Amino acid sequence: MPTDPALPDGRPATEVLAELRALREADAPTRGGRTFAYVYDAGLEGLDELAAEAYTAFATVNGLDPTVFPSVARLENDVVGAVAALLGAPGAQGTFTSGGTESILLAVKTARDHARTVRGITEPQLVLPSTAHAAFHKAAAYLGVETVVVPVDPVTFRADAAAMAAALTDRTALVVASTPSYAHGVIDPVAGIAAAAAARGVLCHVDACIGGWILPYLRRAGREVEPFDLSVPGVTSLSVDLHKYAYADKGASVVLYRDAELRRHQYFAHAGWPGYPVVNPTVQGTKSGGLLAQAWAVLQYVGEAGYTALAGRVAEASDRLLAGLRSLDGVRVLGDPAAGLVAFTVSREGGGDPDLSLLLHLADEMRELGWYLQPQLSFDGLPPNLHLTLTPATVGQVDALLGDLGTALAKARGLEPVAVDPALAAFAAELDPDSLGPEEIAGVLAFAGLGEGAGLPGRMAPVLVLLDALPGALKERLLAEFIGSVFRVP
């Protein structure tokens, strides 16, 4: 039976590349310092071109087998060695991964298997502050580990070391601290959490995916940074993303362990099949050597002096931004931002509680002015806020951002508040997400303005206000269904 062809017969390279460039025009800009989430821009001339050329040189190299491609081992040892020198202790060993999520998943897998083989724990627990990255919950779901979530201090947004210690049990395989936490950009009390873990014989992971590379260079640039890495007694593993403040292309990360014996639990080896003997350090088997090569090239190119200077630029941008935010009526910076991440909330003129509708109107108004600030919804008594990630490229944009923020805030205050019908919220609270059928889910998505084929609405405030009012389980079901509607073959 004849079928439609899956692909055209072939198109000229110029035409193919032109279509790709046209598709990028609808995306948020990744350079220039106006997108304050998802991208990390060093603002260095030639860095993107260097990374692209290094990737191309190793794009066809298969990182699966360093005995066939020994360059992979050399590059990875160099990269991991640089991370260990910056963040480690004598004997520290690690692995290059595809990103923070994979690094975290591997750290949780290592802790689970260590707990099973060394301590005899068959039902392991993972103790987390409520601000720990969602990747830990993803890892726990994948690996069959129970999560124990501990509330953070509602004023500082830092993990409560005493409460974390109290949550440890004989089943705890791993306890986590963040440096900083993504949501608020504050550093957890690593020393206290790690000491409590060590006293119970529990492994302690520091999620330094965002701050791990910039914090030591902030210290070298003259800023005070409390110890947080593998030099802290009780810290047994750490993750750091090189595609964040090391400015490599995505995805490039390292998971680091106190020694090779602990790292051994991360590996997967299998000889029980008729093919080649398999040993995988990471979740991925086959992987391009290009991402490793470009990360290596960027580290070599920027160097110690370069990273120190770039960290100083981020600190300068942060100082000016925080001062400007605190001068705006009704704006409150959350916690004590420490590593380029800033979260703030807003209230109506004259003060009062954070105003979700106003906050989301502000995000929409800023987007219309060409800025992307990331909305974060309320959670467990913690206020909704707008999140900003500062990079060296934002230094020259801070004054313009603050000027537009004042204009947008004044306009947002004049807009009609967005609210959810209390009856609808009460009805939603009674729904069982697992029992909802496709038609019911489609109806809820359509009500939220996210129906199939509708695309993203021009303004997100009405959608996000509704999401904020929904119970967590229903919210997660709708998010999964929505992303499924985005990635759908016509």
Side-chain angles (χ1 to χ4, degrees):
M1 180 182 295
T3 59
D4 292 333
L7 294 169
D9 289 336
R11 298 166 61 186
T14 53
E15 182 181 313
V16 173
L17 293 173
E19 183 169 346
L20 287 175
R21 294 187 189 100
L23 287 171
R24 280 286 286 118
E25 291 177 3
D27 294 341
T30 59
R31 295 294 180 260
R34 295 180 72 90
T35 301
F36 282 79
Y38 304 122
V39 298
Y40 295 82
D41 184 2
L44 292 180
E45 190 76 25
L47 192 62
D48 287 343
E49 292 77 11
L50 169 70
E53 288 192 33
Y55 181 92
T56 299
F58 278 76
T60 59
V61 170
N62 192 340
L64 173 65
D65 191 342
T67 68
V68 178
F69 301 101
S71 61
V72 170
R74 158 66 195 283
L75 293 176
E76 177 156 338
N77 286 338
D78 281 359
V79 168
V80 173
V83 174
L86 192 67
L87 297 168
Q93 299 293 328
T95 302
F96 181 82
T97 78
S98 65
T101 295
E102 187 178 16
S103 288
I104 286 168
L105 191 148
L106 291 170
V108 174
K109 191 261 185 195
T110 297
R112 183 199 67 177
D113 291 1
H114 175 271
R116 178 183 299 156
T117 58
V118 176
R119 298 171 57 204
I121 297 174
T122 57
E123 296 181 340
Q125 292 178 329
L126 171 62
V127 174
L128 302 164
S130 61
T131 49
H133 197 280
F136 287 99
H137 295 272
K138 181 177 181 178
Y142 280 11
L143 296 167
V145 176
E146 179 186 347
T147 56
V148 177
V149 179
V150 181
V152 298
D153 186 289
V155 176
T156 66
F157 305 97
R158 301 176 79 206
D160 183 330
M164 296 284 286
L168 302 179
T169 72
D170 291 340
R171 291 171 52 202
T172 306
L174 185 68
V175 63
V176 172
S178 305
T179 60
S181 62
Y182 181 85
H184 306 106
V186 300
I187 295 177
D188 287 338
V190 172
I193 293 171
R200 296 291 297 263
V202 171
L203 301 183
C204 176
H205 182 81
V206 172
D207 174 16
C209 285
I210 293 179
W213 196 260
I214 191 173
L215 285 170
Y217 288 107
L218 283 172
R219 187 184 290 126
R220 294 177 189 186
R223 302 295 171 125
E224 185 174 342
V225 176
E226 61 187 74
F228 69 92
D229 56 22
L230 282 169
S231 66
V232 177
V235 173
T236 54
S237 61
L238 179 147
S239 50
V240 54
D241 287 357
L242 304 180
H243 59 224
K244 291 188 169 74
Y245 285 108
Y247 309 108
D249 285 343
K250 304 181 186 310
S253 180
V254 167
V255 57
L256 198 65
Y257 300 95
R258 67 183 179 199
D259 55 40
E261 177 61 22
L262 183 57
R263 183 182 61 172
R264 178 178 61 81
H265 296 283
Q266 171 189 295
Y267 291 176
F268 172 82
H270 187 72
W273 75 310
Y276 60 92
V278 171
V279 56
N280 296 147
T282 64
V283 175
Q284 298 180 93
T286 291
K287 52 190 175 185
S288 171
L291 289 171
L292 173 60
Q294 62 84 22
W296 180 91
V298 169
L299 297 185
Q300 298 293 316
Y301 179 75
V302 179
E304 288 288 314
Y307 281 117
T308 303
L310 291 171
R313 297 192 72 196
V314 172
E316 177 194 346
S318 181
D319 288 345
R320 290 197 287 126
L321 177 65
L322 290 171
L325 289 173
R326 289 168 175 147
S327 71
L328 295 173
D329 182 41
V331 171
R332 178 167 68 95
V333 174
L334 302 181
D336 184 17
L341 306 186
V342 174
F344 70 92
T345 191
V346 296
S347 58
R348 292 287 167 180
E349 290 174 295
D353 293 333
D355 189 312
L356 175 64
S357 175
L358 175 61
L359 185 85
L360 298 176
H361 275 320
L362 174 59
D364 282 337
E365 292 299 320
M366 287 297 284
R367 194 155 191 171
E368 290 193 8
L369 293 174
W371 305 93
Y372 178 74
L373 311 184
Q374 187 176 48
Q376 298 187 138
L377 302 180
S378 58
F379 172 76
D380 195 29
L382 304 181
N385 58 82
L386 294 183
H387 175 277
L388 297 89
T389 300
L390 297 166
T391 69
T394 61
V395 172
Q397 298 279 15
V398 170
D399 292 340
L401 171 72
L402 290 169
D404 281 350
L405 194 64
T407 300
L409 185 56
K411 186 173 180 181
R413 285 193 166 118
L415 297 176
E416 189 72 23
V418 180
V420 176
D421 184 337
L424 174 63
F427 172 73
E430 299 300 320
L431 294 176
D432 176 10
D434 294 331
S435 67
L436 295 178
E439 292 185 0
E440 293 164 310
I441 287 291
V444 177
L445 288 174
F447 179 80
L450 297 174
E452 185 175 346
L456 289 174
R459 296 181 70 88
M460 291 299 294
V463 175
L464 295 176
V465 165
L466 176 61
L467 276 180
D468 191 75
L470 297 178
L474 179 58
K475 191 182 305 183
E476 290 168 355
R477 173 74 192 277
L478 292 179
L479 288 171
E481 294 291 339
F482 168 66
I483 205 67
S485 72
V486 171
F487 293 104
R488 184 184 296 272
V489 178

